């Protein structure tokens, strides 16, 4: 007996996509909690990294991730460059290929709020010195020696706020692929800013 969840209505599919992304931002066990983000480099090459999804907002079409302001991707993305985001849920048999524009948000009420909601252990990585990606002759975590394997106090963790930033990705295209035993389904949603609405088009899987 097949356990396929076949959806043939675009509104239902889009609502389901954002529902699952929102779950991914809240539930660390959900497959959409960890996503792959890619962008082009100035020299024409491409780069990608795995990041934890912290929040998904269907109203603003924003995906929120946390990053270190000193990391190379912060300089690359800056005020906004095209990025792609890949999500795959093996249990749900769903792949999402999303495109949009990323930007780094550091000194803002939104970033302050995200920082205040972060626990000390999550804040610990922003205390690393030297900065992420710095060359080193030996394998090191970059953390102060007294914080290796130790959760910092809330007061100590505040030292990392200057390095904490958000990577906000405004999604403009979502390609949805559902792998069904009875027949795959594939469609693409493209956001139309002029009418503040999503257009949709079925694709052959």
């Amino acid at each position: 007996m097949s356990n396929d969840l076949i959806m043939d209505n675009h509104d239902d599919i889009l609502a389901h996509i954002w529902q699952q992304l929102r779950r991914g931002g809240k539930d660390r066990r959900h497959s959409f909690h960890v996503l792959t983000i890619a962008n082009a480099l100035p020299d024409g090459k491409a780069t990608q990294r795995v990041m934890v999804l912290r929040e998904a907002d269907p109203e603003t079409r924003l995906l929120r991730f946390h990053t270190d302001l000193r990391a190379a991707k912060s300089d690359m993305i800056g005020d906004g460059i095209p990025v792609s985001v890949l999500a795959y849920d093996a249990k749900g048999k769903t792949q999402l290929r999303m495109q949009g524009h990323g930007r780094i948000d550091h000194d803002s009420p939104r970033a302050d709020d995200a920082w205040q909601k972060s626990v000390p252990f999550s804040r610990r990585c922003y205390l690393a010195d030297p900065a992420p990606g710095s060359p080193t002759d030996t394998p090191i975590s970059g953390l102060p020696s007294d914080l290796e394997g130790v959760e910092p106090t809330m007061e100590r963790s505040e030292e990392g706020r200057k390095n904490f930033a958000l990577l906000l990705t405004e999604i403009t295209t979502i390609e949805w692929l559902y792998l069904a035993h009875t027949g795959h389904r594939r469609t693409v949603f493209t956001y139309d800013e002029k009418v503040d609405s999503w257009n949709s088009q079925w694709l052959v899987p």
Side-chain angles (χ1 to χ4, degrees):
M1 180 177 178
S2 173
N3 62 349
D4 290 341
L5 175 64
I6 296 298
M7 290 185 289
D8 290 330
N9 179 280
H10 277 122
D11 290 339
D12 292 342
I13 295 171
L14 187 60
H16 184 71
I17 288 171
W18 283 105
Q19 178 190 56
Q20 295 304 301
L21 285 170
R22 292 184 71 179
R23 280 191 59 192
K26 298 176 181 179
D27 183 357
R28 66 179 57 189
R29 292 170 295 184
H30 194 282
S31 296
F32 287 175
H33 188 58
V34 179
L35 307 181
T36 301
I37 302 178
N39 62 271
L41 297 172
D43 61 4
K45 296 179 182 179
T47 186
Q48 57 187 354
R49 78 285 296 171
V50 172
M51 297 186 71
V52 173
L53 176 63
R54 304 294 181 173
E55 180 186 17
D57 184 354
E59 298 301 320
T60 59
R61 297 172 288 107
L62 283 178
L63 304 182
R64 173 169 62 88
F65 307 88
H66 296 174
T67 188
D68 194 306
L69 188 64
R70 302 167 296 170
K73 61 178 172 292
S74 295
D75 286 335
M76 284 188 287
I77 294 172
D79 291 332
I81 64 169
V83 299
S84 66
V85 183
L86 177 65
Y88 180 66
D89 180 4
K91 184 177 180 180
K93 298 180 289 186
T94 303
Q95 174 185 272
L96 301 179
R97 294 199 300 172
M98 297 170 278
Q99 297 178 13
H101 289 82
R103 70 176 188 272
I104 299 299
D105 186 352
H106 168 62
D107 187 14
S108 72
R110 186 196 294 266
D112 288 338
D113 181 63
W115 176 256
Q116 291 303 321
K117 292 177 180 177
S118 298
V119 298
F121 206 82
S122 296
R123 294 178 172 190
R124 187 181 67 154
C125 59
Y126 301 101
L127 297 172
D129 186 20
S134 298
T136 174
D137 294 330
T138 58
I140 61 172
S141 69
L143 292 172
S145 58
D146 63 316
L147 290 182
E148 293 278 0
V150 177
E151 181 177 33
T153 63
M154 183 64 76
E155 182 180 7
R156 177 75 179 279
S157 72
E158 284 294 337
E159 298 173 16
R161 173 61 183 92
K162 64 181 182 297
N163 301 322
F164 175 79
L166 309 180
L167 168 53
L168 301 175
T169 302
E170 183 177 345
I171 300 301
T172 55
T173 303
I174 304 174
E175 185 177 304
W176 174 84
L177 174 64
Y178 180 70
L179 304 175
H181 176 74
T182 53
H184 304 332
R185 294 291 188 273
R186 183 182 177 191
T187 191
V188 61
F189 298 92
T190 305
Y191 181 72
D192 187 339
E193 187 173 354
K194 293 181 180 179
V195 296
D196 188 24
S197 181
W198 291 92
N199 297 322
S200 55
Q201 174 64 60
W202 291 109
L203 303 172
V204 178

